[in-house]
Amino acid sequence: PGIGKNSDYYREFAIYLKKTMETLRVEILAHNAGSILAKDVCVEFSIDDPDRNLIFRDSDDMPDKPSASSLVPRFAQHVLNPDVKVQRSSREWVVTACLGKIQPKASVHTACGLFIGARQPITIEIKGKIFADNLPAPRECSLHVNFNPRRVSLSVEELLKLTDGRSPNSLSGTDQ
């Protein structure tokens, strides 16, 4: 490896590609159908997964795209106060999204997103509760999601095509 070349670029890119391809970004949206402001709206989802077949990630768990140059500083893409948090217990995932204020007849969605996937074909039920400071009791909701993942193997040539076809050896300090 030459000076300024990231010798782990392909390894890092393969990990980045795997983590980004095995999940889809999902936005969580809440709509205030009422006639008064909904204050401090939060949504909490519980997803049973005792066999660990599902993948749930928040933005902090997603990798940054690697650089072929070790001279390019890496700035974390992570948000200081993400509006979506994912936690894992022994048997389930818990996803919390804080949406803040929602004006009457308006909708608000998450900015950071939720990344979901599965290791095998499966249909799941996501049970949720909507909380707000001025809601007398949490509202329940549910969603059914069907996953049909497929395994993909890539050759080095195919991986190169996904990295814009440039090898780190062909990059100079100015060609980035």
Side-chain angles (χ1 to χ4, degrees):
I3 295 174
K5 309 291 189 232
N6 178 357
S7 60
D8 292 325
Y9 175 68
Y10 289 117
R11 182 178 301 108
E12 290 173 4
F13 191 82
I15 292 167
Y16 165 81
L17 197 62
K18 179 185 184 298
K19 287 196 168 201
T20 55
M21 288 185 71
E22 72 185 357
T23 59
L24 292 174
R25 182 186 169 119
V26 175
E27 300 281 333
I28 298 170
L29 181 134
H31 178 75
N32 180 357
S35 57
I36 61 169
L37 176 73
K39 297 178 185 174
D40 293 325
V41 177
C42 287
V43 183
E44 184 177 284
F45 298 102
S46 298
I47 305 98
D48 288 328
D49 184 26
D51 299 326
R52 296 184 178 260
N53 290 321
L54 303 173
I55 302 164
F56 282 83
R57 295 187 181 121
D58 54 34
S59 60
D60 284 343
D61 293 330
M62 294 303 289
D64 296 325
K65 188 172 183 178
S67 172
S69 171
S70 63
L71 299 176
V72 176
R74 293 189 187 185
F75 298 104
Q77 301 289 325
H78 307 295
V79 179
L80 291 177
N81 293 311
D83 53 4
V84 178
K85 281 293 194 188
V86 175
Q87 295 178 313
R88 172 75 196 183
S89 71
S90 62
R91 299 188 53 82
E92 70 177 2
W93 294 95
V94 177
V95 177
T96 306
C98 295
L99 300 165
K101 298 177 189 176
I102 305 177
Q103 295 291 332
K105 311 296 184 222
S107 299
V108 172
H109 65 85
T110 54
C112 295
L114 170 67
F115 301 84
I116 64 173
R119 293 180 173 83
Q120 65 185 31
I122 190 170
T123 299
I124 63 168
E125 180 181 17
I126 299 176
K127 298 174 187 171
K129 291 184 180 177
I130 303 168
F131 301 89
D133 283 355
N134 54 336
L135 197 59
R139 297 257 172 105
E140 293 189 7
C141 60
S142 68
L143 172 68
H144 288 83
V145 180
N146 183 39
F147 293 98
N148 193 15
R150 59 185 175 96
R151 191 173 238 26
V152 176
S153 296
L154 296 175
S155 68
V156 173
E157 291 80 21
E158 292 167 321
L159 184 62
L160 271 174
K161 287 179 187 174
L162 293 171
T163 63
D164 298 329
R166 298 183 297 177
S167 109
N169 296 331
S170 69
L171 293 178
S172 68
T174 58
D175 179 22
Q176 298 180 33

